[in-house]
Amino acid sequence: AARPREIKLVIIGDSGVGKSSLVLRFVTQSFKPFSESTIGASFMSKVIELDGQTVKVQIWDTAGQEKYKSLAPMYYRGAAAAIVVYDITRRESFGTLQRWVSELQEKGPRDLRIMVAGNKKDLEGDRQVAAEEAEAYAESIGARYMETSAKDDMAVQDLFLSLCQQVPLV
Ligand code: GTP
Ligand code: MG
């Protein structure tokens, strides 16, 4: 048994939570303070090493704006892993995240591995959702919770790698 050579990963959440910024940080180790809102979806890939095996992570970065909501199934279909993101400084985005998780549970792939991410941890002073609350929620859906900052590069590599690590061997 080995890991699949390619892992399809989708990243989902409200507009502005930092999905594209997390992907950019993971893939190119950079950050854009004036990131443009994604139109439709965008794609990036990165080759990683998992337990000595080379794996290509194919990342579909979805658009969070409401008008693109109906496109999401095209991107989560066939995915092995999903990162659902909210912004710790915007409670509303935590509600949106929970609605996305419900949709993934109802309509997503059966063995989809989900990671809950609270982004913008560098803005601790503006926090609207306690880490304990998000952690309890993640536990209730059988997922892990991590807090990240795409801006300050906190836990971003770990977020993607530990999710890929959870993808079952084939
Ligand atoms: P959509 O494409 O519209 O769905 O948004 P998105 O989730 O891809 O958000 P995006 O990555 O474009 O980031 C939105 C804004 O938040 C940008 O101005 C980013 O620079 C900023 N941002 C992203 N991540 C962080 C972070 O960790 N900390 C801070 N302070 N700002 C961030
Ligand atoms: Mg985006």
Side-chain angles (χ1 to χ4, degrees), residues 13-22 31-39 61-65 119-123 148-152:
D14 210 344
S15 182
V17 299
K19 298 178 297 299
S20 299
S21 300
L22 287 166
F31 178 73
K32 289 199 285 189
F34 305 103
S35 169
E36 275 158 27
S37 189
T38 305
I39 295 169
D61 171 21
T62 63
Q65 288 181 56
N119 189 43
K120 308 199 185 180
K121 188 173 173 55
D122 56 290
L123 302 177
T148 57
S149 168
K151 178 166 179 271
D152 288 357

Side-chain angles (χ1 to χ4, degrees), residues 86 127 129-138 145 147:
Y86 77 100
R127 180 188 286 274
V129 180
E132 294 71 26
E133 182 181 352
E135 219 158 68
Y137 170 72
Y145 176 60
E147 296 204 334

Side-chain angles (χ1 to χ4, degrees), residues 101-137:
V101 168
S102 301
E103 173 165 340
L104 289 171
Q105 288 172 331
E106 280 168 32
K107 300 179 186 159
R110 190 165 311 160
D111 56 358
L112 183 70
R113 295 300 196 273
I114 296 178
M115 179 75 86
V116 177
N119 189 43
K120 308 199 185 180
K121 188 173 173 55
D122 56 290
L123 302 177
E124 194 61 53
D126 299 324
R127 180 188 286 274
Q128 291 186 352
V129 180
E132 294 71 26
E133 182 181 352
E135 219 158 68
Y137 170 72

